[in-house]
Amino acid sequence: MISRLSDFRFPDAASRLYPDTPGRPWVLEVGFGDGRFWPHFAATFPEAPNYLGVEISGVSLLKANRRLRQAGLTNAVLTKLPALPLVREVVPQGALAAIVVNFPDPWPKAGHTEHRLLRAPFFQLAASRLKPGGAVLLTTDHDEYFEFALAEAEASGVMRAELTQPPAAALETKYALKWRDLGLGAHHARFIPTAHPAVPHGTILRFPDHEEDPTVPHAVLTLPETFDPSEFRKHTARGGQTREDPSGWTVVLLDVYRSLKKDGWVALAHVVEGELTQEVLIGITGREDGTFLARLARFGGPIITPGVKAAVGTVTVWLEGQGAQVRHRGY
Ligand SMILES: C[S@@+](CC[C@H](N)C(=O)[O-])C[C@H]1O[C@@H](n2cnc3c(N)ncnc32)[C@H](O)[C@@H]1O
């Protein structure tokens, strides 16, 4: 089954995602590619564990979904997302039996190591989401990335590494076969938590429940008679940096359109928070009492994050710059 970010709860529960098999071990695979690992690996258990697969490539997602369906693996959830927000926000603490990473992108160029997945913050997050006895299983052909991952695990202070043979299934993936054909071997490490730090979920990452939900970010304002957004210029706002999340949020306000019903306008914003990117619409709609409501629209299934709240704030501040008077801020 394919799930979008807005289909999840934050955090979610195995009993909701796998209602027929809630008690089975829960395995996460990061970057599953065309999905060859899981059918092989699941077959080594008497009962297929519950599977959560995360991948950023949409083409890979469709291929893997077909493969898992053909293999009859129904207790499997696939999603097209960057791994970190999914693990941080969706997976509960102490839930996973294993996190599998096969042949991660090595980002070999100098200065690109910050794009690598297996860095110390990932290991801390993984240690928080793994249950006692769980492990991160890394298989890679890349010598330098392997050494890098071992050093980062050590630097995380919460993992010890065991160097062992990879599971046979990890040598059946598309990339395993590609490197095997080139005569290259594979390294394998099991990273076992030595502590389970409490890496918290983002407390306000949530999906609006219904149209009237008062916690959907909004503002109530009056607009001047002369209001004319035709002079709108794209602009960017940044903020929300904390010690835990130094990247904070970036909001790019892209455009403002007249709504077709001519009862207001729609602002289009691009919101970036770490690896999570959302495109959101913010309606600016006239109300019976003559005021206007600027409010996050449901279109596209937005997730309410600090950055999405800030997008509504950015629209409101822009409207103030156009002469609007704010009566109420709900963001
Ligand atoms: C080298 S391929 C390996 C694919 C597969 N595991 C295999 O062994 O054939 C790395 C995969 O990781 C995916 N990927 C890269 N960064 C990711 C991220 N942040 N979250 C999820 N998947 C990611 C890529 O789209 C790609 O499919």
Side-chain angles (χ1 to χ4, degrees):
M1 185 178 70
I2 294 178
S3 292
R4 296 191 322 164
L5 183 57
S6 52
D7 295 325
F8 291 108
R9 300 288 175 269
F10 311 105
D12 219 317
S15 55
R16 202 190 71 83
L17 292 171
Y18 313 100
D20 299 331
T21 56
R24 294 194 193 172
W26 189 0
V27 176
L28 168 77
E29 184 181 2
V30 176
F32 50 72
D34 65 3
R36 295 186 208 194
F37 171 77
W38 189 243
H40 284 287
F41 197 58
T44 64
F45 294 81
E47 291 177 323
N50 294 325
Y51 177 78
L52 178 59
V54 59
E55 169 62 58
I56 50 173
S57 154
V59 175
S60 298
L61 178 84
L62 296 178
K63 285 185 186 167
N65 190 46
R66 213 173 303 131
R67 202 181 290 277
L68 266 52
R69 262 215 321 261
Q70 279 164 3
L73 290 162
T74 48
N75 56 334
V77 175
L78 301 180
T79 190
K80 179 178 169 299
L81 282 171
L84 285 178
L86 176 90
V87 182
R88 196 179 56 234
E89 307 301 346
V90 173
V91 177
Q93 307 214 20
L96 297 172
I99 300 176
V100 177
V101 190
N102 293 323
F103 302 93
D105 290 334
W107 293 99
K109 285 194 193 143
H112 282 189
T113 53
E114 79 273 13
H115 296 302
R116 289 178 171 170
L117 178 72
L118 296 168
R119 288 177 290 126
F122 170 81
F123 283 113
Q124 276 154 0
L125 180 61
S128 152
R129 301 302 186 252
L130 285 166
K131 60 197 309 187
V136 176
L137 310 185
L138 167 67
T139 305
T140 177
D141 60 293
H142 201 273
D143 302 346
E144 200 267 315
Y145 191 7
F146 190 64
E147 293 303 324
F148 175 90
L150 292 173
E152 289 287 308
E154 172 135 30
S156 76
V158 293
M159 289 282 183
R160 71 181 167 83
E162 274 180 7
L163 307 191
T164 60
Q165 288 302 309
L171 301 179
E172 300 295 337
T173 71
K174 182 175 165 187
Y175 275 79
L177 299 180
K178 186 168 156 178
W179 302 131
R180 193 196 298 168
D181 287 349
L182 293 173
L184 297 171
H187 302 283
H188 182 75
R190 282 175 67 85
F191 296 99
I192 299 159
T194 52
H196 292 272
V199 179
H201 302 89
T203 46
I204 50 170
L205 191 81
R206 59 180 295 277
F207 187 64
D209 296 328
H210 55 83
E211 209 54 48
E212 300 306 316
D213 186 336
T215 63
V216 173
H218 65 280
V220 177
L221 17 82
T222 52
L223 290 176
E225 292 282 318
T226 54
F227 178 66
D228 172 15
S230 61
E231 294 300 301
F232 174 85
R233 292 279 169 275
K234 175 176 143 181
H235 59 278
T236 301
R238 291 194 176 82
Q241 290 88 356
T242 59
R243 206 158 56 86
E244 295 77 38
D245 178 14
S247 56
W249 48 258
T250 301
V251 172
V252 186
L253 208 51
L254 293 165
D255 215 337
V256 177
Y257 305 94
R258 189 88 169 110
S259 76
L260 277 178
K261 281 193 274 173
K262 303 250 186 298
D263 60 348
W265 295 266
V266 178
L268 172 60
H270 182 79
V271 182
V272 183
E273 289 160 279
E275 288 201 334
L276 183 65
T277 298
Q278 300 191 72
E279 312 286 351
V280 297
L281 296 180
I282 295 138
I284 306 161
T285 317
R287 307 200 307 173
E288 273 178 6
D289 64 359
T291 60
F292 281 79
L293 176 68
R295 187 174 188 276
L296 177 70
R298 272 186 85 87
F299 181 80
I303 305 293
I304 300 176
T305 59
V308 166
K309 291 186 166 198
V312 176
T314 305
V315 170
T316 307
V317 168
W318 174 74
L319 289 168
E320 282 183 288
Q322 307 301 305
Q325 301 283 326
V326 177
R327 298 272 183 87
H328 167 75
R329 287 176 211 270
Y331 54 83

